[in-house]
Amino acid sequence: MSAPTKSLNNLLQRASIEDHEEVLRTCNAALKASKHDTETQHVKFVALLKLDRFEDALRVLEECGDKLKQRAGVERAYVLYKIGDLENAKEIAREFESNRGARHVDAQASYRSEDFATAAFIYRDLAAGSGALEGEDSDVRINTGATDAQLEWSKLGALVTKKKPGREDLEVFETAYNAACGSIARGELAQGEVLLKRAKDLCNALDELTEKEKNAELFPISVQQLYVLNKLGKTMEAEALASSIVIDAIPDHSTGQIAQNNKLATTSTVDNPYLAHRIFHGAESLSKTKRLFQLQEEKVQLNGLTLDLLASKSNRVIKYTEKVLSKAPPTVSTHTNSLSVLNAAASAQCQLAKIGLKHILPLLERRPKDLGLVMTIIQLYVLTNNYGSAVKVLESLVKHLLDSTTPSDQDVLYAPGLVALQVSLYSSQGRKSQIKTVLAKAATYWRHKSKPPPSLLQAAGISLLDSPDPDHQLTAREIFDALHSQDPLSKVATAGYVAAHALYSREKVKTEADTLTPVARLIAGTNVPSLEAAGVPPLPSAATTINHKRPLEDKPKPAKKRFRKSKLPKDYDPSKPPDPERWLPLKDRSTYRPKGRKSKQKATEKTQGGVSNEKAEGKGASGEGVIKAPEKPGGGQGKAKKKGKGKK
């Protein structure tokens, strides 16, 4: 053994486990004498890991060559995971599958890359395996709960085997918090609120944590609690909790960003949207290793675009959403269709009804297969009770999807939500035959798929049972045969199965019919005579509903004109003819009699047809007027002098 290695071993024997800086300095000194000492390089690499200097640790590993990489393969995978190189971390960790540490790294990297199904499988395998270290079982149980919650958020709840929290989940605050997240993802908000309170109480009761560490653990619980209170409509409790959360005190930047988002969403009305916009967009960008999960990032992005609209930054919303929508195919993705709705709202300047439709309808010519845009237009038509135009827009979308040769477009065409919308609009118009046709086509399409939606097949089967068409009845029997074979305990599937075969082979379904609740028990609490005496109220006809249109609310109504009553004089007599001089000014009328001497003289002079007193005007003997020549001034002054022309 060389001298540097002996010196290093002596140091390691005296050093404490927390003295990583001293170990690193000694390794650097030893490597100056022997640069290729693998043992010393390995110790330096581990010391850098302990100091969380992952970039430096990876650089040391790359400089040492393949020998150290193979020797420290698990540590290398961990470093790659910590710097955000998740794919390479998983690839290297899977080269050491026999090592439980490598399996943990693989599971963590899969979790961060949002491959939750793989992460759940690895954790279940680790829980069932042997050779676990002390405390490892607790970590596996905590991480399994977090993975199950993410599966629920990602609409993969079928892979979760544990739906209800057990007694062991209520003993540690981490497991209680993960169980709460799973309940929230399933929509069980009340249970999630109770579990979050339990997690907070357990965390506050810990004595081994410092106050700083305890606050760091409590912040995520409080932020999640704020979200639940907002969803439950407990505004006062949510505002009180939001005021207690200090964003700058949260050590984790991703948690701080979510906390800021939830605080802004707490108030029902935004008093100052420009201030809210500045606060929201003033948050610092997250690093690669601290980025949000896709679901969180999408929600935060939609909230940011909504604040842009409130702050009158419509052009910014249009520019961003059009960039995304121009590359997006027809899809049932909630996020993509929400972006389409925001694009329509920005294009219409948030106007509704006919004013909004005037700006939004031209967008449909450019994006005829945009599901979110079509939904927005239909909603605006429904707001004005214009169901006919709404049906035309929906049928235009269906036609474009039918003509498409892309296989994914057919999944969109027969998506349960879109089929339900067609059924709803046709029901408003009383078009029962179209409803059965739409459901029959959708059922035929999904029956040949590996995972058909049961709710759609049940609705189609129930509707087709009433159809007089033999083909529809055959389709209904086939649907309920498949549903009953998949889930024999389902009451809906069993009842449909019995109803579909009762007319043709009653003996075949006799056993299943006996398992259903008898009709007498179903109507035991119903007073049939009183219902018959009351009668059945008639439903309004579809035509009457369609023809009634709600008046436009967002357009100001013109002010009503006020017609003044005609005012007649008090002494008005309809038998007497009106005065022909009533339109003349008072002083010009023949009946005008001014007061005073001067006024009378002036009135005489100005009276039409009166004699002029001017001396310049006279009358001849014959009484005819004579035009008098103008008088010339006497003397030489009367001679007009012509001005001479000036010399040029």
Side-chain angles (χ1 to χ4, degrees):
M1 183 180 293
S2 62
T5 305
K6 290 181 180 180
S7 174
L8 180 63
N9 290 335
N10 294 332
L11 172 67
L12 293 177
Q13 291 175 359
R14 299 193 307 269
S16 65
I17 194 170
E18 300 295 335
D19 197 9
H20 306 300
E21 290 285 356
E22 183 65 26
V23 172
L24 182 61
R25 284 194 293 270
T26 304
C27 288
N28 289 333
L31 288 173
K32 289 181 180 179
S34 177
K35 294 182 179 181
H36 302 290
D37 188 349
T38 306
E39 188 71 28
T40 305
Q41 290 171 340
H42 193 184
V43 173
K44 179 181 178 180
F45 172 71
V46 174
L48 290 171
L49 283 183
K50 296 291 186 180
L51 295 171
D52 291 343
R53 294 170 57 178
F54 303 110
E55 297 285 351
D56 295 336
L58 184 61
R59 185 168 53 253
V60 168
L61 201 61
E62 295 295 333
E63 292 174 354
C64 294
D66 296 337
K67 185 177 180 180
L68 184 57
K69 288 181 182 180
Q70 187 64 28
R71 182 177 180 179
V74 178
E75 293 89 341
R76 181 189 176 197
Y78 179 75
V79 169
L80 292 172
Y81 157 71
K82 294 298 290 186
I83 66 174
D85 192 355
L86 303 177
E87 296 301 323
N88 285 330
K90 290 189 290 186
E91 182 180 353
I92 295 173
R94 287 167 187 174
E95 296 177 0
F96 304 89
E97 287 189 358
S98 58
N99 189 306
R100 289 183 66 87
R103 297 282 285 166
H104 276 282
V105 174
D106 188 7
Q108 289 281 35
S110 299
Y111 180 86
R112 281 303 306 168
S113 62
E114 304 192 31
D115 185 5
F116 303 118
T118 302
F121 174 78
I122 295 174
Y123 281 127
R124 290 191 183 93
D125 188 45
L126 287 172
S130 58
L133 300 177
E134 183 180 358
E136 185 181 351
D137 292 337
S138 176
D139 293 339
V140 170
R141 187 169 64 253
I142 293 171
N143 292 340
T144 301
T147 306
D148 288 345
Q150 291 288 3
L151 286 172
E152 295 283 2
W153 284 116
S154 304
K155 308 301 181 184
L156 298 174
L159 301 177
V160 179
T161 57
K162 187 177 181 181
K163 296 289 185 179
K164 293 183 178 181
R167 184 183 298 272
E168 66 278 2
D169 296 325
L170 305 179
E171 296 175 353
V172 186
F173 80 91
E174 293 96 338
T175 55
Y177 174 74
N178 290 334
C181 292
S183 299
I184 296 168
R186 289 189 294 270
E188 302 167 357
L189 298 178
Q191 184 177 356
E193 183 185 12
V194 173
L195 291 171
L196 286 173
K197 289 181 180 179
R198 175 65 177 173
K200 184 175 285 189
D201 293 340
L202 290 172
C203 186
N204 283 320
L206 290 177
D207 296 331
E208 58 268 21
L209 294 180
T210 63
E211 196 65 27
K212 184 178 180 181
E213 293 173 342
K214 191 178 295 185
N215 289 332
E217 298 291 349
L218 287 173
F219 277 127
I221 302 175
S222 299
V223 172
Q224 193 71 288
Q225 202 171 13
L226 180 59
Y227 171 80
V228 173
L229 292 174
N230 282 329
K231 296 290 285 184
L232 289 174
K234 298 181 178 181
T235 307
M236 297 184 63
E237 296 181 32
E239 291 178 352
L241 180 60
S243 61
S244 66
I245 299 176
V246 182
I247 304 298
D248 296 335
I250 301 177
D252 184 59
H253 295 303
S254 59
T255 305
Q257 191 177 61
I258 297 174
Q260 185 67 76
N261 177 82
N262 290 356
K263 288 187 70 173
L264 290 175
T266 299
T267 55
S268 57
T269 57
V270 181
D271 297 329
N272 190 342
Y274 302 98
L275 178 61
H277 181 273
R278 189 181 71 179
I279 293 174
F280 183 87
H281 291 283
E284 60 179 302
S285 58
L286 299 176
S287 62
K288 186 178 179 180
T289 57
K290 296 293 183 180
R291 64 181 179 86
L292 301 175
F293 289 102
Q294 183 179 359
L295 179 66
Q296 297 171 326
E297 192 172 353
E298 289 175 353
K299 298 296 184 183
V300 171
Q301 185 186 68
L302 292 177
N303 290 342
L305 293 173
T306 304
L307 285 175
D308 288 341
L309 280 179
L310 293 176
S312 302
K313 298 183 180 296
S314 301
N315 291 334
R316 178 177 178 178
V317 177
I318 293 173
K319 183 178 179 181
Y320 176 80
T321 52
E322 284 187 348
K323 181 180 179 181
V324 177
L325 295 173
S326 61
K327 303 176 183 178
T331 179
V332 293
S333 167
T334 304
H335 180 64
T336 303
N337 290 319
S338 298
L339 290 177
S340 182
V341 174
L342 288 171
N343 177 268
S347 302
Q349 299 295 322
C350 297
Q351 297 292 329
L352 298 177
K354 293 182 179 179
I355 299 177
L357 286 169
K358 181 180 179 181
H359 296 88
I360 297 175
L361 285 174
L363 301 177
L364 193 59
E365 299 178 1
R366 301 201 303 265
R367 306 199 303 269
K369 295 191 289 186
D370 189 336
L371 201 61
L373 178 60
V374 170
M375 296 290 184
T376 305
I377 295 174
I378 290 174
Q379 180 65 27
L380 293 178
Y381 275 131
V382 170
L383 287 176
T384 56
N385 275 348
N386 192 351
Y387 287 89
S389 298
V391 171
K392 289 182 180 178
V393 172
L394 184 59
E395 288 177 345
S396 176
L397 170 67
V398 171
K399 184 178 182 303
H400 281 94
L401 293 175
L402 278 173
D403 296 340
S404 176
T405 57
T406 307
S408 60
D409 289 357
Q410 302 304 308
D411 291 341
V412 176
L413 174 61
Y414 297 110
L418 188 59
V419 173
L421 179 60
Q422 294 181 70
V423 171
S424 176
L425 291 178
Y426 286 146
S427 298
S428 66
Q429 296 183 321
R431 300 165 64 175
K432 297 182 179 180
S433 60
Q434 283 85 348
I435 293 175
K436 297 183 186 301
T437 302
V438 168
L439 290 173
K441 289 181 178 179
T444 303
Y445 176 80
W446 285 110
R447 280 168 53 206
H448 301 291
K449 297 291 182 178
S450 58
K451 295 181 179 180
S455 58
L456 176 61
L457 295 180
Q458 289 176 5
I462 293 172
S463 177
L464 296 177
L465 279 176
D466 297 335
S467 176
D469 190 347
D471 294 336
H472 287 175
Q473 294 180 5
L474 176 61
T475 303
R477 287 196 297 273
E478 294 175 352
I479 289 173
F480 282 114
D481 286 346
L483 291 175
H484 181 65
S485 62
Q486 292 174 3
D487 188 5
L489 300 179
S490 173
K491 295 292 185 181
V492 177
T494 304
Y497 178 74
V498 172
H501 291 278
L503 294 177
Y504 302 96
S505 53
R506 181 170 297 184
E507 296 297 329
K508 180 179 179 180
V509 296
K510 187 178 184 306
T511 305
E512 287 77 8
D514 294 338
T515 62
L516 298 175
T517 306
V519 177
R521 187 185 301 176
L522 292 175
I523 63 173
T526 305
N527 192 342
V528 178
S530 63
L531 290 177
E532 291 180 347
V536 180
L539 296 176
S541 61
T544 305
T545 306
I546 294 170
N547 291 334
H548 286 289
K549 292 188 177 181
R550 189 177 67 182
L552 188 63
E553 295 179 353
D554 54 353
K555 187 175 181 181
K557 297 180 179 180
K560 294 182 178 180
K561 294 183 179 180
R562 297 179 60 187
F563 296 96
R564 296 180 179 273
K565 295 181 179 180
S566 60
K567 295 182 179 180
L568 298 174
K570 294 181 180 180
D571 56 348
Y572 173 71
D573 187 359
S575 62
K576 295 181 180 181
D579 185 6
E581 296 181 353
R582 64 185 182 278
W583 307 115
L584 297 175
L586 185 61
K587 63 182 180 179
D588 293 340
R589 300 181 188 180
S590 59
T591 57
Y592 178 66
R593 295 292 182 268
K595 297 179 181 181
R597 185 182 301 173
K598 293 183 179 181
S599 299
K600 290 181 180 179
Q601 183 178 357
K602 290 181 180 180
T604 305
E605 293 174 355
K606 294 181 180 180
T607 304
Q608 293 180 354
V611 180
S612 175
N613 293 329
E614 293 183 3
K615 296 180 180 180
E617 298 178 0
K619 288 189 177 181
S622 60
E624 296 179 1
V626 178
I627 299 176
K628 188 176 180 179
E631 296 182 355
K632 296 181 181 180
Q637 295 177 0
K639 293 182 181 180
K641 294 183 180 180
K642 295 183 179 180
K643 285 187 178 182
K645 296 182 179 180
K647 294 182 180 181
K648 294 183 179 179

